[in-house]
Amino acid sequence: MKKLLELIDKKKKICAGIMTGTSVDAVDIAIIEVEGAGLNLRFSLLGFYEHPIDQTLKKLILKNSIKQTSNVEEICKLNFVLPRLYAEALENACHVNNLKITDIDLIGSHGQTIQHLPGKQLLCGYNAQSTLQIGDPSVLAKLTGVVTIGNFRAGDVALGGEGAPLVPFFDYLVFRSETKNRLLLNIGGIANITLIKARATVNEVRAFDVGPGNMLIDFLADRFFNKRYDEDGLIAKKGKLNIALFDAIKDKDNFVEALPPKTTGREHYGENFLDELLEKFPGILPEDWIRTVTYYTAFAIYRNYEKFILPYIKVDELLVSGGGANNKFLFSSLKELFFNLKVKKIKDKKVQADSKEAICFAILANETIAGNPTNIPNVTGALRPTILGEICLP
Amino acid sequence: MKKLLELIDKKKKICAGIMTGTSVDAVDIAIIEVEGAGLNLRFSLLGFYEHPIDQTLKKLILKNSIKQTSNVEEICKLNFVLPRLYAEALENACHVNNLKITDIDLIGSHGQTIQHLPGKQLLCGYNAQSTLQIGDPSVLAKLTGVVTIGNFRAGDVALGGEGAPLVPFFDYLVFRSETKNRLLLNIGGIANITLIKARATVNEVRAFDVGPGNMLIDFLADRFFNKRYDEDGLIAKKGKLNIALFDAIKDKDNFVEALPPKTTGREHYGENFLDELLEKFPGILPEDWIRTVTYYTAFAIYRNYEKFILPYIKVDELLVSGGGANNKFLFSSLKELFFNLKVKKIKDKKVQADSKEAICFAILANETIAGNPTNIPNVTGALRPTILGEICLP
């Protein structure tokens, strides 16, 4: 408790953010130096580190993320094994950045989502809206000797929110401008946007998923070319737009036109999304497929802007981040569509796709210690702003 | 955070302890007024309340406590549904005690254990010693508006401990004497003892399970008489001791002679324990069965004392609590066996069996806020004393 009280008063802190995503590819660790909080926050990235996850462990996590193959014994064990992995990863992250674990003042640990059920549903007469991140933060605190904040999503879900997205708060701290209305676009597997008006208060921030990001493109690159993705958009560049296919995708996809706030994922844009169309359009060349789907991805982003933002506010800048920003064809398609706006790629290392979420949870932990709410009710749907995270002493 | 800092400085606090046991019979709530902490602790019980648990919910919890029938989706939902039940129970507990929920300063919530795997085991090369209590404390904090401490066992298990028992710390605060060496005996389903020497430091406390409490007696009362238990020990009183059966139980039971620290439970003394003997001794009268098993229960307690305590320390008092203390035959058997000691039933309402665990977790939450470690390494086997519990802000 003494450690916590000292931490509250400490001016400059070194915080580590730890994140494992639903794809369970790696433990992402960001180490930042931070001063202040809220709109007075200043921080710099000291290091970013990706720690490998053993394939057997990955398989076991994915097995326990699915109703049919999960069980309480393995979930119980994984909840304690993951903090051991995180602690090991943090040791390494410190090492490669010439830090010692004792230099770390605070950890923000997202944990591993193995279930996310934010929709309204009943269980035995009770509201059973819920989410489950494992990798117990108090275990991590004991193993590392560092005050740890974890379980960030539960508090928002408890108050009727979706528990996601939480990154918009971070975007707000970093990109809020005194003069410009900014639209942030992050292109990961799914594409999402965050609108931050000039001089916005936190509750004026809007954020929602808009449609596919790299997910459909990656699926086709794998299927046709056995590639993980279309590097630099070179395949799309070679192909031609097929209007019939474009229209068929548009007709099939009911998410893009849906009213925000909205979220989507692999359950909608996963492997099954294109299956029917692949059967229906057997004669289209692979590069035409990829060009058309890439253009559709850009269109879906624009369409959300056109329908839900343009009528209400004049945006000054579109700032693009995420792996999809490196797809040159996708990026130029966006420039074409958003010809009225300044379209820029975010180059600041602090907020690039790879490290962004890990940095975000380090920042959210710092805000928890400062006593600041970090959910945005207008974004998550929660009843009220609330301080997120559980505080675990070493 | 402001609420937490105010709480740390507050002299008198009203704390609620919330507990659901592995039998999932009821939500037990104790409301106490507390001042100070550690050996300066003073507290009084304001009210104790048992809140019913719906049978469907109980079944679902038990289903998800078993590897074969559990799944991540139901565990995820239950983790959010249980805090709703706890919040409702706390509302009622406040109401019947003429309190408002806003009078409560702090909640200590044990949660619902659905898995406890404290034995050393590996998973993907990592130590997978673990325990799982559901009923997310941060959800409870958001629903009640009260600072909540939960997940008490994880920190001890993270440090190599069994995560149990935690009640000995509470016993230490309440029963430590300046002049007397005290042995506490609690007779629940399982019987356990806690040794607190005169002027003991916390790390001199010893505690371990000694053998069956009411578990075997209740099993026979149900089987032969369709009763939940042998009220006042009246059935045992009518029966006769069967020496052959007594010896057979003694031979079968390897737990009693095992070296402490040790813990046991339904996996050892459950339904299967007597099955073989019931076949082997078909002619014994039901009341003789119950007398013999009751006497064996008393003997097992004495045997642990004789073997593990008597040679090392002169105990002044044996203080008996738990439902088993009401079994007059069991109690008089103990008096016979421990004829050299003063054997007393604990009558203080604050530490009676029913309410004890719930009170204990209210006290443990208060100690967490005071920054005091509450695990006892010599009892749990942990590497070091540590502050237990995760702090959740409303």
Side-chain angles (χ1 to χ4, degrees), chain B residues 20 34 115 175 197 216 234 248 295 303:
Chain B
T20 45
V34 54
Q115 199 76 180
F175 292 103
K197 291 196 304 184
L216 299 180
L234 288 174
Y295 190 74
R303 178 66 187 141

Side-chain angles (χ1 to χ4, degrees), chain A residues 67 70-73 77 80 84-85 88 121 126-127 130-131 136 138 142 151 386-387 390-391, chain B residues 67 70-73 76-77 80 84-85 88 121 126-127 131 136 138 142 151 386-387 390-391:
Chain A
K67 183 172 182 180
S70 55
N71 71 71
V72 66
E73 189 183 308
K77 288 179 184 176
F80 276 65
R84 293 186 185 275
L85 172 68
E88 189 182 288
Q121 42 193 310
Y126 292 95
N127 174 357
S130 55
T131 186
D136 194 296
S138 66
K142 301 305 177 193
N151 212 5
T386 194
I387 302 174
E390 305 181 1
I391 304 164
Chain B
K67 183 173 181 180
S70 55
N71 71 71
V72 65
E73 187 182 310
C76 178
K77 287 179 184 175
F80 276 65
R84 292 186 186 274
L85 171 69
E88 187 182 291
Q121 42 193 311
Y126 292 95
N127 174 358
T131 186
D136 195 295
S138 66
K142 301 305 177 193
N151 212 4
T386 194
I387 302 174
E390 305 181 1
I391 305 164

Side-chain angles (χ1 to χ4, degrees), chain A residues 127-193:
Chain A
N127 174 357
Q129 236 192 306
S130 55
T131 186
L132 185 57
Q133 284 75 45
I134 58 170
D136 194 296
S138 66
V139 176
L140 187 56
K142 301 305 177 193
L143 295 178
T144 56
V146 181
V147 175
T148 300
I149 317 288
N151 212 5
F152 288 91
R153 302 196 190 271
D156 184 76
V157 174
L159 295 173
E162 300 243 336
L166 299 182
V167 172
F169 182 86
F170 171 73
D171 284 335
Y172 170 73
L173 296 186
V174 176
F175 292 104
R176 178 181 179 275
S177 155
E178 286 294 317
T179 53
K180 285 173 186 156
N181 295 325
R182 286 177 165 160
L183 187 62
L184 306 180
L185 166 64
N186 185 68
I187 310 173
I190 297 296
N192 62 68
I193 58 175

Side-chain angles (χ1 to χ4, degrees), chain A residues 237-294:
Chain A
K237 199 180 162 192
K238 278 186 230 148
K240 276 185 209 139
L241 181 73
N242 184 307
I243 303 282
L245 175 60
F246 181 88
D247 286 343
I249 301 173
K250 198 153 74 103
D251 285 349
K252 184 184 166 66
D253 189 356
N254 53 12
F255 180 78
V256 169
E257 302 287 329
L259 274 172
K262 55 185 176 178
T263 54
T264 186
R266 199 166 291 276
E267 65 280 6
H268 183 64
Y269 292 112
E271 294 169 20
N272 301 324
F273 185 82
L274 292 177
D275 269 359
E276 203 189 323
L277 295 172
L278 281 161
E279 268 184 41
K280 205 173 160 189
F281 294 91
I284 298 178
L285 290 175
E287 54 268 34
D288 294 354
W289 261 105
I290 289 184
R291 183 178 189 115
T292 304
V293 159
T294 306

Side-chain angles (χ1 to χ4, degrees), chain A residues 76-88:
Chain A
C76 179
K77 288 179 184 176
L78 285 171
N79 193 34
F80 276 65
V81 161
L82 280 167
R84 293 186 185 275
L85 172 68
Y86 296 163
E88 189 182 288

